[in-house]
Amino acid sequence: MFAVGIMLFSLEASYIHSWRSLILYTSLPLYIFTLITCVIPESPRWLYSQGHLSEAEDILHVIAKRNGKRVKVTLEAKKQTNKKNTNSSYSDLIRTPIFRKQVFIQTFSWFSCSFVYYGLTMSSGNLGKNMYLNVALSGLSEMPGYILCIALIDRVGRKRFFSGSFLLGGAACVALLLRPFYSGSDGDSSLVVYFAMAGKLCISAAFNTAYIYSSELLPTVLRNSGLGVFSAAARVGGIVAPIASTMGFNKTYSLFGGAALISGFLVLQLPETIGKPLPETIDEVENHFDFGEVTKESVSAMEERLSMYNQNSDSV
């Protein structure tokens, strides 16, 4: 839907030439979503966690009624347990050497994803020919990237697909620097647009992969915190992208291509996660969480060990 939004925005801009009017017309429909609060009820899980049992029961009853079910919902207050606080902190992201290296590489790769993605989007209007058509094509080129991600990420592996997307996207940006060799004196050539769209396709695939790959690399105790840090790095990339887009054609695409290529080579230093269980702790990451592939035999062996453990516990 993000790509569709870019194409629709380009279509609107072709008819609304005043940037103030364009922002006004594209922002006003967003206020319609404020009415959702009048239609969608509060989360029953949140109400239950806050001790509002009667309100949670009422909402669950309405949900069951709309689904054609007649059930009586009765919730009991949650019992308080004195559990030791084992929450991890942000400092744990850089506490151990191997995990710290992975965090730095992923932080830079997320920065590069956003930097190159938004930079190519903003620079697409400066490629010559029809500015509005170029921006629309920039959005359209994302869709094949998403399709390739779905089709190949489980076949070639997260690391190779992530790295390959970066390297191909960076190569496309570098190819734009060779514009004098395949375009006329005015720099206007269809190949310029093709290379820019190819770069946008690849970086869109990389951005889509980043969410999956980073979620599998981060241990459970730091998954939310780590993704928050990576997302913040991506926002910084989005802030810097407009500045880079105004630095001239050669400097702009040198920065985009360089960031993508560096990220592509750095990602090769990360472990592959396909077919492996998610790490639970930082110690498992430090040991490369090399538990082998998840197979029926390994699952059966694990279940057998768990059953033996439960029997021993019951006997004690």
Side-chain angles (χ1 to χ4, degrees):
M1 295 303 296
F2 202 87
V4 175
I6 293 177
M7 291 186 288
L8 291 177
F9 186 80
S10 177
L11 177 63
E12 293 174 346
S14 64
Y15 291 100
I16 307 173
H17 299 289
S18 171
W19 67 269
R20 289 185 175 87
S21 300
L22 180 62
I23 292 177
L24 180 64
Y25 291 134
T26 54
S27 300
L28 282 178
L30 298 177
Y31 287 99
I32 298 176
F33 292 99
T34 59
L35 301 176
I36 292 178
T37 57
C38 302
V39 180
I40 298 180
E42 185 57 80
S43 168
R45 183 181 292 275
W46 181 84
L47 291 172
Y48 175 74
S49 66
Q50 299 300 312
H52 304 297
L53 302 184
S54 59
E55 297 178 31
E57 291 173 357
D58 293 339
I59 293 175
L60 291 173
H61 177 72
V62 172
I63 293 174
K65 184 177 180 180
R66 290 179 179 176
N67 289 328
K69 306 291 183 179
R70 290 187 177 182
V71 294
K72 183 178 181 181
V73 180
T74 304
L75 300 177
E76 296 181 358
K78 185 188 299 184
K79 295 181 180 180
Q80 297 293 334
T81 57
N82 296 324
K83 291 185 178 179
K84 185 179 179 181
N85 187 7
T86 59
N87 292 335
S88 301
S89 63
Y90 284 98
S91 61
D92 292 329
L93 292 169
I94 56 175
R95 180 168 55 84
T96 55
I98 295 177
F99 187 48
R100 178 170 59 242
K101 177 183 176 182
Q102 293 184 13
V103 168
F104 285 156
I105 292 175
Q106 291 180 84
T107 300
F108 183 76
S109 66
W110 278 66
F111 168 86
S112 299
C113 277
S114 181
F115 176 63
V116 180
Y117 175 88
Y118 288 108
L120 290 177
T121 302
M122 296 174 186
S123 301
S124 57
N126 303 324
L127 297 175
K129 296 185 179 295
N130 190 315
M131 174 178 62
Y132 304 107
L133 178 61
N134 290 341
V135 175
L137 289 175
S138 175
L140 181 63
S141 63
E142 295 183 30
M143 295 184 179
Y146 300 146
I147 295 173
L148 286 175
C149 181
I150 296 172
L152 298 178
I153 193 172
D154 288 330
R155 296 185 180 183
V156 303
R158 275 72 160 140
K159 180 173 71 173
R160 283 188 290 181
F161 184 82
F162 196 31
S163 175
S165 298
F166 269 127
L167 294 177
L168 291 175
C173 292
V174 172
L176 288 169
L177 301 177
L178 304 177
R179 179 177 60 169
F181 295 98
Y182 54 77
S183 62
S185 58
D186 57 352
D188 190 8
S189 172
S190 298
L191 283 177
V192 174
V193 179
Y194 294 154
F195 283 129
M197 297 306 111
K200 184 67 181 299
L201 183 154
C202 293
I203 205 65
S204 299
F207 214 160
N208 201 38
T209 308
Y211 288 92
I212 302 172
Y213 192 31
S214 293
S215 298
E216 294 177 348
L217 284 171
L218 289 166
T220 302
V221 294
L222 285 170
R223 190 161 293 126
N224 289 336
S225 301
L227 288 175
V229 171
F230 301 156
S231 181
R235 303 292 78 77
V236 174
I239 293 171
V240 178
I243 302 174
S245 300
T246 61
M247 297 177 65
F249 189 91
N250 290 337
K251 290 183 179 179
T252 293
Y253 287 101
S254 295
L255 290 172
F256 295 158
L261 290 174
I262 292 172
S263 296
F265 287 115
L266 287 177
V267 167
L268 294 175
Q269 304 299 316
L270 298 175
E272 180 58 70
T273 60
I274 188 170
K276 296 182 179 179
L278 299 179
E280 297 288 340
T281 63
I282 299 177
D283 292 335
E284 294 179 0
V285 177
E286 290 297 307
N287 295 324
H288 302 280
F289 57 95
D290 188 12
F291 307 127
E293 295 186 357
V294 179
T295 61
K296 292 183 178 179
E297 291 77 10
S298 63
V299 172
S300 300
M302 184 177 294
E303 291 177 347
E304 183 178 354
R305 289 196 297 269
L306 287 174
S307 62
M308 292 176 62
Y309 174 79
N310 292 331
Q311 290 176 0
N312 293 334
S313 300
D314 294 339
S315 62
V316 173

